Amino acid sequence: MTHHRGLAAAIGVVVAGLAVLIGLAVAVAYAGQGGPLPQPPTTETAAPTAAATVGGAQQQADVPVADPYLPDPTWLETTAARTQIPVRALAAYARAHLQVAAEQPDCKVAWNTIAALGGVESRHGSVNGSVLGADGLPRPAIRGPALDGGAFGAVHDTDGGSLDGDTRWDRAVGPLQFIPSTWETWAADANGDGVADPNQIDDAALAAGRYLCHSGELTGAAAWRRAVFSFNHSDAYVNDIAGLANTYAQRAG
């Protein structure tokens, strides 16, 4: 899906090899450490129910249930403090978990995997000085480098610049770093505003969750790794996501 290891992860690291973008066969740089391949995140392995994992959709008598996929605010506050994931970003990841669990209960993708993607790709919408607003939009907008055949593979413009502002080359867009052609297939409107926007973190997180589930049920280590590998064809990338996702799960308790 993405054309690189992630804007956030790419900062201050040494390029260690090449990966291939799924569906586009684009060679891209990545960095990572060797060693044994880690197990999938503990939240995924345990395959808990969505409610148990993210505190449950809002059911309390004092909280209106306007959105069935909105996670419990107490869980959000506690988990954000423990994981150091910004509350606004965590809400998007947890919401995506709950909605995908309702849509595809056998998939078992969980918030910590989606959060790890957001952490590696854009530091949860904060890379390069961006600030994630209450509306879920990072400002300034997050754009990856031009896929112009230089440091990264060449991907000529597919969206007329409507998403990435580049009418010659494609660039990855938003906190989950979707390339425009991938977004065209997996676009989601999670916040119900009538617009599927890869810049908006609720929309992007839901699209990422659905994309991972497209690889099949994430019920074991091999299946989990295969799904994340489909997001970015790099074993080093998968290792990074697994490590961070496991860290989030362990900190969240």
Side-chain angles (χ1 to χ4, degrees):
M1 178 183 299
T2 54
H3 65 278
H4 52 71
R5 180 171 171 266
L7 284 179
I11 295 174
V13 298
V14 178
V15 172
L18 293 175
V20 178
L21 174 66
I22 186 169
L24 294 177
V26 177
V28 297
Y30 74 85
Q33 299 177 348
L37 298 180
Q39 292 297 307
T42 54
T43 300
E44 309 292 357
T45 303
T49 63
T53 306
V54 299
Q58 289 185 345
Q59 299 291 332
Q60 296 85 350
D62 59 339
V63 180
V65 187
D67 182 347
Y69 307 121
L70 199 63
D72 176 68
T74 301
W75 180 90
L76 282 175
E77 182 179 354
T78 300
T79 305
R82 290 175 175 174
T83 61
Q84 297 302 296
I85 300 172
V87 171
R88 184 61 186 86
L90 181 61
Y93 307 142
R95 190 192 186 288
H97 171 140
L98 289 167
Q99 182 162 351
V100 174
E103 295 171 349
Q104 304 178 60
D106 292 332
C107 173
K108 309 302 183 187
V109 68
W111 66 270
N112 57 314
T113 291
I114 302 172
L117 293 175
V120 168
E121 293 294 348
S122 71
R123 292 179 184 159
H124 309 300
S126 70
V127 71
N128 293 339
S130 290
V131 176
L132 189 65
D135 58 1
L137 292 170
R139 295 180 178 84
I142 298 172
R143 298 289 180 269
L147 300 178
D148 58 6
F152 306 102
V155 181
H156 288 276
D157 174 61
T158 62
D159 68 328
S162 62
L163 292 178
D164 58 14
D166 193 329
T167 58
R168 185 176 182 186
W169 306 102
D170 266 350
R171 298 171 182 262
V173 177
L176 272 295
Q177 288 289 277
F178 280 89
I179 60 170
S181 58
T182 305
W183 184 254
E184 182 179 0
T185 300
W186 293 96
D189 176 19
N191 63 353
D193 65 355
V195 178
D197 185 355
N199 297 288
Q200 206 279 336
I201 197 166
D202 299 307
D203 293 356
L206 178 58
R210 289 172 173 170
Y211 185 94
L212 291 172
C213 287
H214 182 67
S215 295
E217 299 176 8
L218 279 66
T219 53
W224 184 92
R225 292 189 63 85
R226 183 171 59 250
V228 176
F229 188 82
S230 76
F231 202 90
N232 189 332
H233 268 196
S234 161
D235 283 326
Y237 180 87
V238 177
N239 292 347
D240 289 345
I241 297 301
L244 186 56
N246 273 317
T247 295
Y248 288 152
Q250 291 161 4
R251 288 179 179 176

